[in-house]
């Protein structure tokens, strides 16, 4: 039995850090274990122009714990008014590593997202030309489509047509939650990757709804049936380079989660690596954890893997805080529902 595991330091290819007091409180939870992260731009107001992304990057750098070498990889929030030249400039000077597409209204702070895809054609063509990835929140917002079907319908109605119309566009399907997402990625060799979250490897929709409603398991895209969770686990642990970790760790305070209209998002930054080691061990795939967390993501983004290493050791249950205290209120750490035994060595 393996009790010690050493891997290249991991990265998080999909992370929400927020701003202000929340940023200050949650940032160390990520920088403790991750060297880099793709930073989501869904602030209020969103980071739309390169000047917004540069200012946000500076606020993150100013909030870093002393001595941290963490590197935030910035993104721009795509709107129908996004200027292709601004995007190209921000990419050329190394500020941004991706552009984020939210269909308008699909998730938290996505109101300024895209409604008419014809209006972003110019930006997408520019991105294909300069090989800048598009990170996609893949859910339709059509009220007639059942929330559990919104990812599968998005692939057919929007993603596939957009990709066909824009040859060479490099796409990352963010936080896939269905076997449909897995199969779509696997059916396409080129220019398509997908991130998978920690929590979608652990929970299915029963965890949210059976035995009382569990607001801390509610996120978007919402967890689906068990067969989809199993498809995600198979993809994540397969070693297939098109699948990599994006935690989608998304902090909300307890009052905002435990409410008659609770916010979507699971906060997994604190215990993600211990949970993933547990999941990969269950799938007899500990030897592929490094590919998922540390190698496949940088390869897709055209960046070198981190040079440092992380060691995980199996032992007594890992003690982690139930909540992170922030200046805005407590944030509950994701509870996988089982004890964790893989400790990240410090
Ligand atoms: N999903 N919550 C948030 C974003 C994501 O779709 C996402 O990326 C958030 O709070 O920003 C969530 O459930
Ligand atoms: Zn999303
Ligand atoms: Zn997200």
């Amino acid at each position: 039995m393996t009790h010690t595991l050493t891997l290249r330091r991991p990265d998080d290819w999909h992370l929400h850090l927020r701003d202000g007091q929340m940023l200050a409180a949650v940032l160390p939870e990520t920088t403790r274990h991750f060297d880099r992260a793709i930073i989501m731009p869904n602030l209020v107001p969103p980071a739309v122009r390169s000047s917004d992304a540069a200012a946000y990057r500076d606020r993150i750098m100013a909030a870093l714990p002393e001595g941290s070498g963490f590197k935030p990889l910035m993104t721009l929030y795509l709107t129908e008014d996004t200027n292709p030249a601004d995007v190209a400039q921000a990419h050329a000077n190394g500020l941004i590593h991706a552009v984020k597409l939210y269909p308008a209204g699909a998730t938290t702070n996505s109101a300024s997202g895209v409604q008419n895809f014809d209006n972003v054609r110019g930006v997408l063509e520019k991105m294909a030309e300069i090989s800048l990835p598009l990170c996609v929140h893949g859910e339709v917002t059509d009220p007639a489509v059942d929330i559990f079907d919104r990812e599968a319908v998005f692939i057919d109605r929007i993603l596939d047509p957009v990709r066909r119309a824009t040859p060479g566009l490099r796409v990352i399907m963010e936080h896939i939650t269905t076997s449909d997402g897995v199969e779509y990625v696997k059916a396409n060799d080129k220019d398509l990757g997908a991130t998978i979250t920690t929590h979608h490897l652990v929970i299915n929709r029963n965890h949210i709804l059976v035995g009382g409603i569990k607001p801390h398991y509610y996120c978007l895209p919402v967890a689906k049936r068990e067969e989809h969770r199993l498809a995600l686990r198979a993809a994540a642990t397969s070693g297939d380079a098109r699948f990599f970790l994006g935690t989608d760790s998304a902090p909300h305070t307890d009052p905002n989660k435990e409410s008659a209209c609770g916010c979507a998002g699971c906060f997994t930054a604190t215990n993600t690596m211990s949970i993933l080691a547990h999941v990969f061990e269950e799938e007899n795939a500990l030897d592929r954890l490094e590919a998922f967390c540390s190698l496949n993501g940088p390869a897709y983004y055209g960046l070198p893997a981190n040079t440092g290493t992380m060691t995980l050791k199996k032992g007594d249950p890992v003690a982690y805080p139930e909540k992170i205290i922030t200046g805005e209120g407590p944030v509950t750490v994701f509870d996988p529902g089982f004890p964790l035994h893989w400790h990240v060595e410090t």
Side-chain angles (χ1 to χ4, degrees):
M1 256 207 351
T2 311
H3 287 283
T4 303
L5 190 64
T6 297
L7 29 129
R8 297 286 192 111
R9 290 268 298 178
D11 302 302
D12 185 349
W13 299 96
H14 182 133
L15 177 66
H16 298 269
L17 285 176
R18 316 303 190 202
D19 220 333
Q21 293 185 320
M22 183 64 89
L23 165 65
V26 300
L27 184 57
E29 299 303 298
T30 285
T31 61
R32 199 173 293 135
H33 295 163
F34 296 92
D35 277 7
R36 297 172 291 195
I38 285 279
I39 309 301
M40 287 296 132
N42 63 331
L43 303 177
V44 192
V48 170
R49 282 170 297 269
S50 55
S51 53
D52 303 328
Y56 187 28
R57 182 194 54 192
D58 292 347
R59 296 197 294 281
I60 296 169
M61 295 306 288
L64 279 180
E66 200 150 316
S68 169
F70 178 80
K71 213 170 160 220
L73 307 175
M74 308 310 292
T75 60
L76 289 180
Y77 184 119
L78 182 63
T79 74
E80 294 183 19
D81 297 322
T82 295
N83 176 354
D86 184 50
V87 169
Q89 178 70 41
H91 173 62
N93 65 27
L95 172 64
I96 62 161
H97 291 266
V99 171
K100 180 67 194 259
L101 165 66
Y102 291 99
T107 185
T108 308
N109 302 334
S110 61
S112 349
V114 175
Q115 261 169 325
N116 182 347
F117 284 80
D118 291 337
N119 293 338
V120 293
R121 183 165 303 264
V123 183
L124 299 185
E125 280 166 2
K126 175 53 85 180
M127 289 172 62
E129 184 191 315
I130 62 179
S131 225
L132 176 63
L134 179 71
C135 294
V136 176
H137 179 105
E139 287 190 292
V140 291
T141 53
D142 179 349
V145 178
D146 188 276
I147 190 164
F148 291 101
D149 299 332
R150 288 180 176 195
E151 180 170 303
V153 173
F154 181 87
I155 294 169
D156 292 342
R157 272 197 205 166
I158 303 198
L159 182 58
D160 198 59
V162 164
R163 291 186 61 244
R164 281 174 199 281
T166 325
L169 179 64
R170 310 198 61 232
V171 169
I172 299 155
M173 293 175 72
E174 298 292 324
H175 48 52
I176 54 170
T177 59
T178 60
S179 59
D180 310 78
V182 170
E183 291 311 316
Y184 185 70
V185 172
K186 288 210 283 196
N188 290 273
D189 291 346
K190 254 180 46 115
D191 301 328
L192 188 61
T195 56
I196 301 178
T197 76
T198 308
H199 50 282
H200 289 116
L201 296 174
V202 174
I203 60 167
N204 63 33
R205 64 197 205 178
N206 283 7
H207 291 85
I208 311 170
L209 296 170
V210 173
I213 192 159
K214 312 292 189 323
H216 296 290
Y217 290 152
Y218 172 63
C219 67
L220 290 171
V222 69
K224 310 294 193 296
R225 287 175 181 276
E226 177 66 356
E227 68 197 60
H228 295 293
R229 185 184 75 102
L230 295 178
L232 298 173
R233 280 171 84 108
T237 59
S238 66
D240 186 323
R242 291 168 292 190
F243 299 102
F244 42 94
L245 174 64
T247 66
D248 200 9
S249 184
H252 292 279
T253 63
D254 285 353
N256 286 336
K257 293 285 294 173
E258 299 165 7
S259 144
C261 185
C263 293
C266 296
F267 181 68
T268 55
T270 305
N271 52 8
T272 274
M273 290 309 299
S274 296
I275 298 173
L276 290 174
H278 182 105
V279 166
F280 276 65
E281 184 177 38
E282 281 183 344
E283 300 289 332
N284 284 315
L286 277 176
D287 57 331
R288 305 202 190 113
L289 183 62
E290 184 181 46
F292 182 66
C293 301
S294 315
L295 304 178
N296 296 350
Y300 194 87
Y301 274 92
L303 295 168
N306 295 316
T307 48
T309 59
M310 164 183 280
T311 296
L312 293 126
K313 279 209 165 84
K314 198 172 175 186
D316 294 336
V318 177
Y320 59 87
E322 194 189 329
K323 297 175 193 300
I324 300 298
I325 305 309
T326 82
E328 295 177 20
V331 171
T332 292
V333 175
F334 179 77
D335 172 8
F338 43 76
L340 298 171
H341 290 276
W342 285 96
H343 297 251
V344 178
E345 297 270 280
T346 45

